[in-house]
Amino acid sequence: ATNASSRFSLAGPSGVITTTESFNYETHQSFVFVVKAADDGGLSARAGVNVNIVDMNEPPEVQDTSRAIKENSMPKGLVGGPIEASDVDNKLNGVDDVHQALTFTMNNNPEFQIGACSGQIEVKGVGLLNFEATTIRYTVVVTVTDDGDGLLWDDANVEINVLDINEPPAFRLTDMVRAIEENKGTDSKVGNPCTCDEPDIKTNQTHTYSIKAGNDGMLWNITPSTGQLLVNVDENVIDYESQNLYTLLLKVIDAGVP
């Protein structure tokens, strides 16, 4: 109990006690003070008064915040750290006194879900987050609810930013057949360039092409910046009657952006 007579006032004739300020159960649970009564003849009496503060359920609190996650994250991928929430009813005199459980929910959306007990936002499914798509920033509403009288709650807007990652380029496998007439000489073009598809369309990505295998005798060359296959030997070396089919393993490397 706290001795705090200054926090109360006493009406002289009636003896009615009133408060002079608002009270918080979580910091003070009771107060003790002494009341004196005196008559006109000079006689008086004293009595101790114990005022108990009655606890009431107060709403939890959750703040607007933001989180980030890399594109192409798999199901159950964690979207940053858990959402933090608090409840003043879970502290007593500055010390943790957890007796109310908090439950997290989220507005219905296709991309994200939240752990009811942990407050951890997760990715729902496969292929939902693509930086190159239209949406790279989402706003979801997280609600935290206590289990006290009245099931009080609070809302927060959570902004989720999708982060770009470097994704590998890919050759067009249905367009990887080239032809050239026999007897062609050095730097003769072998069909159209062997280009690739680049998923990172929002970045200024460049590519470097090379031949990794199958180039026995160094018959072929490739322009690193364009993917153009070229003859790498003198005329009459490429001979249909000697060999009419070659299989090359090509490699393309991007510039590593981002």
Side-chain angles (χ1 to χ4, degrees):
T2 300
N3 190 340
S5 58
S6 62
R7 301 183 180 186
F8 301 89
S9 64
L10 179 65
S14 66
V16 174
I17 299 173
T18 57
T19 62
T20 60
E21 61 182 73
S22 61
F23 300 122
N24 184 358
Y25 178 85
E26 283 70 38
T27 57
H28 295 96
Q29 293 77 53
S30 63
F31 297 90
V32 174
F33 53 90
V34 175
V35 173
K36 177 183 177 182
D39 62 18
D40 293 339
L43 300 179
S44 64
R46 297 174 184 269
V49 177
N50 185 30
V51 178
N52 294 311
I53 307 301
V54 178
D55 191 17
M56 60 177 291
N57 189 25
E58 298 170 89
E61 293 184 359
V62 60
Q63 303 298 323
D64 291 348
T65 187
S66 63
R67 293 291 186 271
I69 187 169
K70 294 178 180 178
E71 64 172 326
N72 303 332
S73 291
M74 298 300 292
K76 300 290 185 179
L78 305 184
V79 183
I83 301 299
E84 297 180 356
S86 61
D87 193 322
V88 295
D89 292 319
N90 282 336
K91 279 190 177 295
L92 193 65
N93 300 324
V95 178
D96 287 341
D97 180 44
V98 179
H99 60 277
Q100 283 203 9
L102 302 181
T103 302
F104 295 86
T105 55
M106 177 184 290
N107 64 308
N108 188 35
N109 67 89
E111 296 84 12
F112 305 103
Q113 60 193 13
I114 192 168
C117 297
S118 66
Q120 177 65 62
I121 299 176
E122 300 176 345
V123 180
K124 272 187 178 179
V126 178
L128 297 178
L129 305 179
N130 182 3
F131 184 85
E132 286 70 37
T134 303
T135 303
I136 61 173
R137 184 175 294 107
Y138 300 85
T139 299
V140 297
V141 179
V142 172
T143 301
V144 58
T145 306
D146 67 22
D147 62 352
D149 185 32
L151 299 178
L152 303 182
W153 53 271
D154 190 22
D155 279 341
N157 291 320
V158 180
E159 183 179 274
I160 300 175
N161 296 294
V162 178
L163 304 178
D164 192 16
I165 64 171
N166 187 21
E167 299 170 85
F171 284 109
R172 300 165 189 166
L173 299 182
T174 58
D175 183 33
M176 293 299 288
V177 177
R178 298 293 184 270
I180 188 172
E181 295 178 353
E182 64 175 334
N183 302 325
K184 291 291 186 179
T186 303
D187 291 337
S188 296
K189 293 182 179 180
V190 184
N192 294 323
C194 297
T195 56
C196 66
D197 290 324
E198 174 54 63
D200 293 317
I201 59 176
K202 290 187 177 181
T203 58
N204 187 21
Q205 202 73 275
T206 59
H207 303 97
T208 302
Y209 299 87
S210 61
I211 302 174
K212 298 303 294 181
N215 196 15
D216 300 333
M218 301 299 292
L219 300 180
W220 314 102
N221 193 9
I222 192 168
T223 304
S225 60
T226 64
Q228 177 64 62
L229 280 174
L230 304 168
V231 176
N232 195 42
V233 292
D234 294 335
E235 293 180 0
N236 301 320
V237 175
I238 306 298
D239 180 35
Y240 179 87
E241 285 72 28
S242 298
Q243 185 174 346
N244 59 30
L245 180 64
Y246 297 86
T247 300
L248 302 176
L249 177 63
L250 304 185
K251 181 179 180 179
V252 59
I253 302 176
D254 65 22
V257 181

